[in-house]
Amino acid sequence: MSNGKVPKWRKTLYEDNGYPDNYTPPECFLAAIEKNKNLLLYSLWECFSGAAEVGKEMSVVIIFWCCYKFLKTDLLKPETLLVTMLGLLVVGCTMFISRVRKVTFTGLLAGIKTIFLFTIIGFALSPVLYKLTDTISTDTIHSMALSSLLIHLLTSDYGMYAPIVSWQISLNAAVFSTVCLASRFDHHLSAFSLLCLSVFSFLLVPLSRPLLPSPILSSLLLASAALSLLSCISTPQLCLALLALATVQIACPVMFHRLQADKMTIHGPWDEAVIFTAPQ
């Protein structure tokens, strides 16, 4: 109080105006309410593009499962799978070098050294992998592998920050599922080829995201390949995969885009104070 008069209330915490810190005049409380402040709305194309990133990873998981089943039933030879991955790796490296144009000989040599070291270690450990879980039933192994692949899908990096996103957990879950599935083979070369496929699918493919075409086009190509391979294994699994991909890539983006109109956020004096620095 100054000269017997109550000072005018101001929304400043660094001065003592004679009011409690949590005081707000009734006429200012409702006037300070802001609705949908800094609300970001996504277009329908952005919704489809974001869902396509999830659909691509689901398609990669389906292709990985199909290759495992083909190796298990001898419909696919390990040598064929290894040669195919080597060809795709060479094509991918060529595209990367042609686009980046900043690859030095030292960096290229380091990459070849890493690939060579992984190949030697993986091939040396493959006889251990395919005998690692002989005492565990196949149903249990498939359940563990399925759970790990679901964790991989939940924690993958789809281009948006979220607390659940962790590429370390995602990659480790995929490798764990590979180790489980590799233990069902009768020859160590099949286990080695599946391990190489896991690294190619869950490590190299996400890293090559900038080289791929638009998310929607690449997701359609991967989904077509995944469904084509799955049709050779089981019709019920094909229907489930088609339903899951259609839900993720079509139904969910359309619902999300339409529900944006119903979203409402309210900000007011109850919000936490934010330090603001005035421009000089």
Side-chain angles (χ1 to χ4, degrees):
M1 182 177 292
S2 177
N3 298 327
K5 296 182 180 180
V6 178
K8 183 179 179 180
W9 176 84
R10 294 189 305 165
K11 192 177 180 181
T12 56
L13 296 178
Y14 54 86
E15 294 180 0
D16 185 7
N17 295 324
Y19 296 95
D21 290 341
N22 60 350
Y23 174 78
T24 301
E27 64 274 9
C28 297
F29 186 81
L30 294 178
I33 293 179
E34 296 178 310
K35 296 182 178 180
N36 294 339
K37 181 181 179 181
N38 300 325
L39 182 63
L40 179 61
L41 297 178
Y42 296 93
S43 64
L44 186 60
W45 180 262
E46 291 175 331
C47 294
F48 279 119
S49 298
E53 295 291 346
V54 184
K56 284 194 298 184
E57 199 64 29
M58 293 175 61
S59 299
V60 169
V61 170
I62 295 173
I63 293 174
F64 175 77
W65 170 257
C66 292
C67 291
Y68 160 73
K69 296 294 288 184
F70 291 154
L71 289 171
K72 183 67 176 175
T73 56
D74 292 330
L75 292 176
L76 177 64
K77 297 298 181 181
E79 298 85 355
T80 305
L81 181 59
L82 291 172
V83 171
T84 303
M85 285 188 292
L86 180 60
L88 292 175
L89 183 62
V90 171
V91 172
C93 291
T94 305
M95 293 176 58
F96 177 78
I97 294 174
S98 62
R99 287 196 177 187
V100 175
R101 299 182 183 278
K102 295 181 180 179
V103 180
T104 61
F105 178 76
T106 305
L108 183 62
L109 188 62
I112 296 175
K113 181 181 177 180
T114 302
I115 294 174
F116 181 76
L117 184 62
F118 165 77
T119 304
I120 295 298
I121 295 176
F123 189 78
L125 293 178
S126 58
V128 180
L129 291 179
Y130 88 104
K131 292 291 185 182
L132 193 61
T133 57
D134 280 347
T135 58
I136 303 176
S137 65
T138 302
D139 291 339
T140 303
I141 290 296
H142 285 173
S143 299
M144 294 169 59
L146 177 61
S147 302
S148 300
L149 290 175
L150 288 176
I151 294 175
H152 164 75
L153 290 175
L154 288 174
T155 57
S156 292
D157 184 9
Y158 299 113
M160 296 186 68
Y161 173 77
I164 197 175
V165 174
S166 174
W167 69 267
Q168 296 92 341
I169 296 177
S170 177
L171 181 59
N172 285 326
V175 172
F176 176 75
S177 67
T178 305
V179 173
C180 292
L181 296 176
S183 64
R184 299 296 94 182
F185 291 125
D186 298 328
H187 193 269
H188 72 94
L189 188 59
S190 298
F192 173 68
S193 63
L194 190 69
L195 182 63
C196 293
L197 178 63
S198 175
V199 175
F200 182 85
S201 302
F202 304 125
L203 179 61
L204 298 181
V205 171
L207 291 177
S208 63
R209 183 182 299 171
L211 300 177
L212 298 176
S214 65
I216 296 179
L217 178 59
S218 56
S219 68
L220 291 176
L221 294 176
L222 287 173
S224 301
L227 295 176
S228 299
L229 294 175
L230 198 58
S231 63
C232 302
I233 298 176
S234 172
T235 302
Q237 292 182 18
L238 172 65
C239 296
L240 288 176
L242 180 60
L243 179 62
L245 290 173
T247 302
V248 170
Q249 298 194 70
I250 299 177
C252 290
V254 172
M255 291 177 59
F256 178 80
H257 183 262
R258 291 185 176 180
L259 290 175
Q260 286 185 115
D262 299 328
K263 185 176 182 179
M264 179 176 293
T265 60
I266 301 177
H267 303 270
W270 57 83
D271 290 343
E272 295 181 359
V274 178
I275 297 177
F276 174 76
T277 303
Q280 298 295 331

